[in-house]
Amino acid sequence: MEKLPKVALPAIIAAIVLIILLAKSAVTIESGQAGVLYKTFGGGVVTNEPPLGEGFHIIAPWNKVFIYEVRQQEILDKMNVLSSNGLDIKLEASVWFQPTYENLGKLHQEKSEMYKERILLPAIRSAARSVVGRYTPEQLYSSKRDVIQQEIFIETQKIVKDQYIQLNEVLVRDVTLPPTIKDAIERKLKQEQESLEYEFRLVTASKEAEKAIIEAQGKADANKILSASLTDKILQDKGIEATIKLSESSNSKVIVIGSGSSGMPIILGNQ
């Protein structure tokens, strides 16, 4: 019994040390993450092996694991750029990206965990300034937005291509012009719209007038043909046909045959 304290103390100390070692050796990597292993006595960052995947890992207590988000991420940046005529434009762009999984060790070794601030943001700013500098404020404000967005994406992709970053998309969310320039562009666009609307009304009125002329000409030609085709004999035959139909009607009437100046029947009454 007297020896129990002497045995228990080292055991307690060993258990504490073991717990500490296990705590430092156990690494849990969450979903959407990956770990870069750093070997303190084995050459530093491991770049010739895949990164540590999701789940529980045991490593040597003197080594370290740097955890990275490997899912698609978004970074939003607001910047001032110059248009082709030197006007200051405020641009808001959103970048969708993720680190390349197989090169995560190289990314950590060469760029560090600050790769977004050191690589990605400077790249998007440089690309945006280069692209926007090719266009006028009018083009930025209206029809060229999609084209500019695609060009910024291509320019940024060229910069980060060998930087172990996968660029998925660049979205231009807002372009803010100086108030005076914006008002001038809006007035110009409004005047152009009104001009187009006026031209449309003129064309419509011209087409309606042309249609009316064609219809009138058609009626005149039809009347001319009809007048040329009608003779006294035809009119007389038509009158006789009408008289026969009237005589067959159940209505009460008096018909005098051959009393008209042209020999046509005269209807005296309808009772």
Side-chain angles (χ1 to χ4, degrees):
M1 296 295 292
E2 293 178 359
K3 294 182 179 180
L4 183 60
K6 294 180 180 180
V7 175
L9 185 60
I12 293 172
I13 294 174
I16 293 173
V17 171
L18 181 61
I19 291 172
I20 293 173
L21 290 175
L22 287 174
K24 291 182 67 66
S25 300
V27 177
T28 301
I29 298 177
E30 303 293 338
S31 60
Q33 297 178 339
V36 176
L37 180 62
Y38 178 86
K39 295 182 177 180
T40 304
F41 305 110
V45 178
V46 176
T47 59
N48 58 352
E49 297 178 9
L52 300 177
E54 301 173 1
F56 182 79
H57 300 270
I58 296 293
I59 63 171
W62 50 83
N63 292 337
K64 298 179 182 178
V65 174
F66 297 89
I67 296 178
Y68 280 77
E69 180 85 16
V70 292
R71 287 177 292 202
Q72 178 173 281
Q73 303 165 62
E74 180 182 26
I75 187 169
L76 183 66
D77 192 29
K78 298 179 180 179
M79 65 198 86
N80 289 344
V81 293
L82 297 178
S83 64
S84 61
N85 55 1
L87 288 175
D88 187 48
I89 309 295
K90 292 182 180 179
L91 186 72
E92 182 177 327
S94 178
V95 185
W96 294 352
F97 70 97
Q98 58 196 102
T100 54
Y101 187 87
E102 63 276 9
N103 293 317
L104 200 58
K106 293 181 181 179
L107 176 68
H108 179 75
Q109 186 180 56
E110 298 179 21
K111 316 303 176 185
S112 85
E113 296 167 296
M114 302 286 291
Y115 71 94
K116 288 177 279 190
E117 292 78 8
R118 294 179 178 179
I119 304 298
L120 193 57
L121 284 176
I124 187 68
R125 289 167 184 166
S126 174
R129 292 189 177 97
S130 174
V131 171
V132 172
R134 306 169 192 163
Y135 295 94
T136 64
E138 291 85 352
Q139 293 171 323
L140 295 171
Y141 187 75
S142 56
S143 60
K144 294 294 184 180
R145 178 76 65 89
D146 293 339
V147 175
I148 292 167
Q149 179 174 283
Q150 182 63 20
E151 289 186 6
I152 293 175
F153 172 78
I154 294 171
E155 291 286 337
T156 308
Q157 196 172 43
K158 290 178 182 178
I159 298 173
V160 303
K161 180 179 62 175
D162 298 323
Q163 304 297 326
Y164 318 118
I165 300 172
Q166 177 182 316
L167 189 68
N168 297 334
E169 191 64 81
V170 173
L171 303 175
V172 175
R173 297 194 177 275
D174 187 44
V175 176
T176 304
L177 306 178
T180 54
I181 301 300
K182 181 181 178 182
D183 293 342
I185 292 173
E186 288 179 348
R187 285 196 301 270
K188 180 181 177 181
L189 292 175
K190 183 178 179 181
Q191 290 172 356
E192 290 176 352
Q193 185 64 32
E194 290 175 349
S195 176
L196 290 173
E197 185 178 351
Y198 179 71
E199 289 179 5
F200 175 77
R201 289 202 300 267
L202 288 178
V203 171
T204 302
S206 176
K207 288 183 177 179
E208 289 178 352
E210 184 178 349
K211 179 182 177 182
I213 292 172
I214 293 172
E215 289 178 349
Q217 185 64 44
K219 289 179 180 179
D221 292 343
N223 290 334
K224 188 181 295 184
I225 293 170
L226 182 61
S227 298
S229 65
L230 292 177
T231 63
D232 293 342
K233 181 64 177 175
I234 292 174
L235 290 174
Q236 200 168 33
D237 289 343
K238 293 292 184 182
I240 293 170
E241 289 178 5
T243 303
I244 293 171
K245 289 182 179 180
L246 284 174
S247 65
E248 293 173 351
S249 173
S250 59
N251 295 328
S252 175
K253 60 184 70 65
V254 177
I255 301 176
V256 178
I257 303 298
S259 296
S261 60
S262 62
M264 293 296 293
I266 298 177
I267 300 173
L268 297 179
N270 184 10
Q271 299 174 359

